[in-house]
Amino acid sequence: MKLKLGIPKGSLEASTIELFGRAGYVIKSNSRSYFPGIDDPEIECMLVRAQEMARYVEKGVLDVGLTGLDWIEECGADVVCAAELTYAKQSFGKVRWVVAVPEDSPVQSAKDLQGKVIATELVNRTRQYLCAQGVDANVEFSWGATEVKPPFLADAIVEITETGSSLRANRLRVIDTVMESSTRLIANKNAWSEEWKRTKIEDIRLLLVAALEAVGKVGLILNVQRDSLDSVLAVLPALKRPTISALSDDRWVALNTIVEESTVRVIMPKLKAAGAQDIVEYGLNKVVL
């Protein structure tokens, strides 16, 4: 028995393969094949466009896959959301679908879009958004290069953005947000009900979540005399409490903890001043909470 896993083809492909690598899976793809190799004999991979992933998972063509909440809602797929995995093309964060108009457009809010032409790939969610705003507009499907369509081919667009740089480069101004989206690990309902497949999916989920949890964090291990322990603990932030271990010399203990990497340059000198010695910083691949 094998688990059929869908990897998003396109903008999320590289970051997804990188995430699986952090989780301990080696996925190898090439431009000539839609069936990447993976170093787990119980998994078969297939590259599928994120826009179509939820539909194929719902139908059982795939047992499990990764796609955005936006595309799940867009096609109304009935799938199991096994996990939210907050990563995108360029960062470990969420993306936004925004309403954007030319910088010199008189449009200031969604209400001003009455009767206008709006270009987007996210047609159904855009229509739902406009309906909630009480606006009747002509929503047209865009096959790509949506940012270049205003003002000649459309009055406004609804487009995905991570940093906003592409919109600014095309002299577009954001007037509202239609929705936020993040990547989801989704499963077919029948596959989720099968014990072997569900266990396999849950194992993948645990490792992917653990890999994301480790992003931007490092471990610190240090030694400190017991009479300086409280001073050192006052400096250390931690996920919970630092692990404190006795050393062969009863006057000393070892501390092991996890901190945000960005804070190390601030707290390491403070730890030294508080009495810590033999401070070692080490990288993390996964953190299981």
Side-chain angles (χ1 to χ4, degrees), residues 110-118 127 129-139:
K111 300 294 184 184
D112 299 327
L113 295 172
Q114 181 69 31
K116 303 293 186 182
V117 175
I118 303 171
R127 285 174 176 159
Y129 162 81
L130 292 171
C131 182
Q133 299 286 330
V135 173
D136 183 14
N138 180 17
V139 180

Side-chain angles (χ1 to χ4, degrees), residues 26-75:
V26 178
I27 297 177
K28 294 183 178 180
S29 64
N30 64 71
S31 59
R32 297 184 178 181
S33 174
Y34 280 82
F35 299 93
I38 186 170
D39 64 342
D40 186 329
E42 296 178 340
I43 299 176
E44 286 183 349
C45 293
M46 182 178 182
L47 290 173
V48 176
R49 283 170 56 86
Q51 295 91 326
E52 301 175 298
M53 185 74 72
R55 182 159 53 92
Y56 289 128
V57 170
E58 179 184 30
K59 291 181 177 180
V61 177
L62 298 167
D63 296 312
V64 63
L66 296 96
T67 188
L69 175 64
D70 44 6
W71 300 117
I72 299 170
E73 293 190 356
E74 176 70 6
C75 70

Side-chain angles (χ1 to χ4, degrees), residues 10 74 76 102 114 134 140 221 226 252 273:
E74 176 70 6
Q114 181 69 31
E140 295 184 348
I221 188 167
R226 290 184 184 274
W252 290 80

